[in-house]
C-alpha cells in the first residue's frame, strides 16, 4: 500500500507539472517537434517490461490500452490550435485542466481499488500502458490538426 501512495503522489506531481507546461506552451508557437517528441520520450518507459516484476498479461495490456485510448478522446476534444500572427498556437482551454484533474482522480481511484488484487509492479506496467495509450492518439490527433493549419498558412502566404 505504501508504494501505491508513493506512486500516486508522483502522479499528482506530474499532473501539476503538465498543467504548467500546457499553460506555458500556449504562449509560444507550436511546432511538429513539440507535438511528436513527448510520446517518443515516454516510450523509453517500455524498458520497464524487461523486468518480470512489471510484466502484464495480454488481457491487461488490452484493457489498459483501451482505457487509455478512451481517455485520449477527452484530451483530443480540448486540444485545438489557432493561427495568430501567421503562426500556429495551442488554444488555452479551461476544460483541459479540469479533464486532466478528473483523469488523475480516476487513475488514483483505480490504482487504489486494483492494488488489492494486482501486484504493484504489474499495476505500474498497466498504468504506463494506459498513459501511453492516451498520449499517442492524442498527440497524433494534435499533429494532424497542426499539419492542416500549417497547410492553411502556406496557402495564405502564396
Amino acid at each position: 500500500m505504501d508504494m501505491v501512495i508513493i506512486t500516486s503522489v508522483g502522479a499528482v506531481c506530474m499532473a501539476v507539472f503538465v498543467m504548467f507546461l500546457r499553460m506555458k506552451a500556449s504562449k509560444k508557437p507550436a511546432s511538429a517537434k513539440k507535438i511528436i517528441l513527448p510520446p517518443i520520450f515516454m516510450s523509453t518507459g517500455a524498458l520497464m517490461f524487461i523486468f518480470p516484476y512489471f510484466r502484464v498479461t495480454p488481457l491487461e495490456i488490452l484493457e489498459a490500452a483501451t482505457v487509455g485510448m478512451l481517455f485520449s478522446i477527452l484530451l483530443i476534444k480540448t486540444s485545438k490550435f489557432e493561427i495568430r500572427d501567421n503562426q500556429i498556437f495551442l488554444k488555452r482551454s479551461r476544460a483541459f485542466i479540469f479533464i486532466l484533474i478528473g483523469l488523475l482522480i480516476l487513475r488514483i481511484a483505480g490504482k487504489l481499488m486494483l492494488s488489492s488484487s494486482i501486484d504493484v509492479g504489474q499495476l505500474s506496467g498497466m498504468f504506463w500502458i494506459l498513459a501511453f495509450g492516451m498520449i499517442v492518439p492524442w498527440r497524433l490527433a494534435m499533429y494532424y490538426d497542426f499539419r492542416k493549419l500549417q497547410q492553411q498558412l502556406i496557402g495564405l502566404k502564396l
Side-chain angles (χ1 to χ4, degrees):
M1 190 61 152
D2 291 337
M3 281 302 273
V4 173
I5 292 169
I6 291 168
T7 57
S8 296
V9 169
V12 169
C13 292
M14 287 173 58
V16 169
F17 178 69
V18 167
M19 284 184 230
F20 283 114
L21 274 180
R22 177 71 183 245
M23 285 188 267
K24 278 182 78 172
S26 66
K27 294 178 183 176
K28 296 179 182 174
S31 71
K33 190 165 87 171
K34 289 178 185 176
I35 296 168
I36 297 300
L37 284 179
I40 292 170
F41 294 148
M42 187 181 171
S43 68
T44 60
L47 291 172
M48 79 168 81
F49 297 113
I50 291 172
F51 303 99
Y53 182 70
F54 297 105
R55 291 192 188 140
V56 294
T57 66
L59 182 61
E60 290 168 337
I61 293 169
L62 183 63
E63 290 170 349
T66 301
V67 171
M69 285 186 241
L70 289 173
F71 284 173
S72 75
I73 294 168
L74 298 169
L75 296 173
I76 291 167
K77 295 279 185 202
T78 58
S79 298
K80 302 294 175 210
F81 292 101
E82 64 184 351
I83 297 173
R84 287 190 314 229
D85 303 323
N86 280 334
Q87 292 182 317
I88 302 170
F89 288 84
L90 191 59
K91 279 187 186 178
R92 273 195 155 169
S93 169
R94 286 188 184 201
F96 179 82
I97 291 174
F98 292 113
I99 288 170
L100 198 61
I101 291 168
L103 291 174
L104 179 64
I105 290 168
L106 281 172
R107 182 178 170 169
I108 291 172
K111 191 182 277 191
L112 290 172
M113 287 188 300
L114 294 171
S115 66
S116 62
S117 60
I118 299 175
D119 184 51
V120 174
Q122 256 182 308
L123 199 55
S124 298
M126 286 180 70
F127 276 98
W128 181 88
I129 293 167
L130 184 149
F132 196 68
M134 186 169 58
I135 197 172
V136 169
W138 173 42
R139 291 301 178 133
L140 286 174
M142 285 177 70
Y143 182 73
Y144 176 76
D145 290 344
F146 175 81
R147 293 293 293 165
K148 278 197 317 191
L149 280 180
Q150 208 173 34
Q151 293 301 317
Q152 260 185 359
L153 265 179
I154 291 169
L156 290 173
K157 290 179 182 176
L158 295 176

